[in-house]
Amino acid sequence: MEQLNRFDRILAILIQLQSKKTVKAQELANRFEVSLRTIYRDIKSLTAAGIPIIGEAGLGYELVDGYKIPPMMFSKAEITSFVAAEKLVFKFIDQEMKNHFSSALYKLKAIIRSSDKDWMETIDKHVVMKSIGHSQQSKALPNTLTVLFQCIAQRNVLQISYQAAYQSETTVREIEPIGVFHESNHWYIYAFCLVRNDYRQFRTDRICDIKILDQVQFKQHPKLEEYLAERELDAIMTRVVIHVDQPFAHYLHWERKYFGFKEESIKDDRIEMIFDVKNPDMGFARWFLMFGDRADIISPQSLKDTVKSLLQVQIKRLI
């Protein structure tokens, strides 16, 4: 990030102290790209200025409960980011969370200057985000994400009715939620399943019913970040190489990241794209069919065979 001058950095530290209960010095040092010694000096300057900060090096710092500073002035760039965030958030969260976000945004608009309100409203009228094409939440459950976040914060056990892709009937599971993540245009909950006695991930739009139980989680679970990192390490990857016609290659830039794209280069007036794919004979093969008339599969042979089989089935259906 761009290096801040000392005054701006100290002000930003104060704002961050207001944003969460406890902030560790290393967290601040990483954010502002300065040494721990610099952070300790900045904290000392804040306390010398009368800001009631409690804590110490190694344990973290926090503001005395109840202490607040007056509302901050926002720059036009920050206000613009609020508009962008609102447009994006409304496409990816459930209805109950949208209502809470709208309430928070009204409070934010109430404390900014009139000229900035005009700026915000003008931008808002000229920014439109079209539908992403599918619902990310079950239509029967307009508050799935809200319940999940509440459950994670309270460390309760959750009961869900789940419609797995490979089953026609729903199953009832009791799970200990660990974290929520967004991947390949879907929200997932990672949890310890008490029915299977193992860790599982569940797609939120396949949850048909959800209920927070009085039972509190009894296990200590690994962090979500550790699970995601381990999953990537354990995955068996297949190297896929394709050649795409140059005039058409840029059309793939948006979606290719969902299919393990690694790098590209120019090969004989064509664009060579390299992917590391978990299962190229499934999703990647069907994705390739969308632009197969403008590209060639260089490797592996198994992917070529899969695409041929899919085409043969499609041809029979067209006869």
Side-chain angles (χ1 to χ4, degrees):
M1 62 177 290
E2 183 181 352
Q3 202 75 17
L4 297 176
N5 62 47
R6 186 161 188 259
F7 175 81
D8 290 338
R9 185 178 64 246
I10 290 176
L11 184 58
I13 289 173
L14 178 55
I15 293 172
Q16 185 158 342
L17 286 169
Q18 286 197 110
S19 70
K20 57 194 302 187
K21 181 173 176 57
T22 304
V23 180
K24 291 190 175 181
Q26 188 62 61
E27 180 182 347
L28 295 170
N30 292 341
R31 176 185 173 186
F32 299 110
E33 298 178 357
V34 296
S35 67
L36 284 172
R37 180 177 295 180
T38 297
I39 295 299
Y40 298 150
R41 188 170 62 247
D42 290 345
I43 293 293
K44 187 175 181 179
S45 296
L46 284 170
T47 57
I51 305 299
I53 299 174
I54 57 176
E56 58 185 69
L59 299 178
Y61 300 98
E62 59 184 82
L63 293 173
V64 171
D65 192 31
Y67 177 81
K68 294 291 182 183
I69 60 175
M72 304 299 297
M73 301 298 292
F74 298 104
S75 69
K76 282 186 167 54
E78 290 171 332
I79 291 172
T80 301
S81 72
F82 296 147
V83 176
E86 180 184 17
K87 300 294 182 180
L88 288 170
V89 162
F90 271 46
K91 295 297 181 183
F92 289 94
I93 60 176
D94 61 40
Q95 185 58 52
E96 184 171 339
M97 198 169 291
K98 289 177 184 177
N99 295 338
H100 293 315
F101 186 85
S102 292
S103 176
L105 205 58
Y106 280 124
K107 293 177 181 177
L108 183 146
K109 291 177 180 178
I111 65 173
I112 63 176
R113 296 172 299 186
S114 296
S115 60
D116 289 335
K117 292 176 184 177
D118 293 338
W119 173 280
M120 195 172 189
E121 290 176 3
T122 300
I123 295 176
D124 183 67
K125 293 176 182 178
H126 291 82
V127 177
V128 175
M129 184 174 178
K130 299 183 70 175
S131 172
I132 57 177
H134 67 273
S135 174
Q136 301 211 342
Q137 304 299 327
S138 169
K139 293 181 179 179
L141 294 173
N143 64 337
T144 305
L145 283 179
T146 303
V147 173
L148 286 175
F149 291 159
Q150 178 184 347
C151 186
I152 290 170
Q154 297 176 171
R155 290 185 52 80
N156 289 99
V157 174
L158 193 67
Q159 179 179 288
I160 61 172
S161 295
Y162 192 71
Q163 177 71 64
Y166 53 86
Q167 293 179 333
S168 58
E169 301 293 330
T170 60
T171 59
V172 177
R173 310 280 188 94
E174 290 187 1
I175 62 175
E176 297 186 357
I178 298 168
V180 176
F181 63 98
H182 192 268
E183 182 178 70
S184 301
N185 287 327
H186 291 287
W187 283 104
Y188 293 86
I189 174 72
Y190 174 57
F192 183 81
C193 179
L194 298 176
V195 176
R196 300 287 187 262
N197 195 35
D198 198 4
Y199 293 97
R200 294 286 191 274
Q201 67 180 46
F202 304 90
R203 224 172 80 178
T204 60
D205 61 322
R206 291 178 178 162
I207 296 176
C208 306
D209 193 24
I210 189 168
K211 180 182 179 182
I212 297 178
L213 303 181
D214 292 334
Q215 181 181 343
V216 178
Q217 296 183 24
F218 63 90
K219 290 178 65 68
Q220 289 294 324
H221 301 291
K223 294 181 179 180
L224 175 63
E225 294 88 345
E226 295 175 5
Y227 160 72
L228 295 176
E230 184 178 343
R231 187 186 63 169
E232 292 300 318
L233 289 174
D234 291 343
I236 299 175
M237 311 302 287
T238 299
R239 177 58 57 97
V240 172
V241 181
I242 64 175
H243 285 179
V244 185
D245 295 344
Q246 277 204 45
F248 187 81
H250 71 277
Y251 290 110
L252 307 184
H253 286 187
W254 176 252
E255 289 189 332
R256 68 186 185 182
K257 62 183 178 181
Y258 297 119
F259 295 92
F261 172 77
K262 302 301 291 185
E263 59 182 270
E264 71 175 18
S265 60
I266 298 177
K267 297 284 186 180
D268 300 326
D269 296 328
R270 304 188 82 196
I271 302 297
E272 180 177 272
M273 296 186 185
I274 298 176
F275 300 79
D276 284 337
V277 188
K278 293 180 183 178
N279 193 341
D281 296 339
M282 297 296 290
F284 191 95
R286 295 183 181 277
W287 179 61
F288 180 83
L289 285 174
M290 297 174 61
F291 56 88
D293 59 325
R294 303 292 186 91
D296 296 307
I297 299 172
I298 306 304
S299 63
Q301 181 62 43
S302 62
L303 179 59
K304 294 182 180 181
D305 296 338
T306 299
V307 171
K308 288 178 183 178
S309 297
L310 290 172
L311 285 171
Q312 288 170 356
V313 172
Q314 189 171 15
I315 290 172
K316 289 181 181 179
R317 290 178 173 273
L318 293 174
I319 295 176

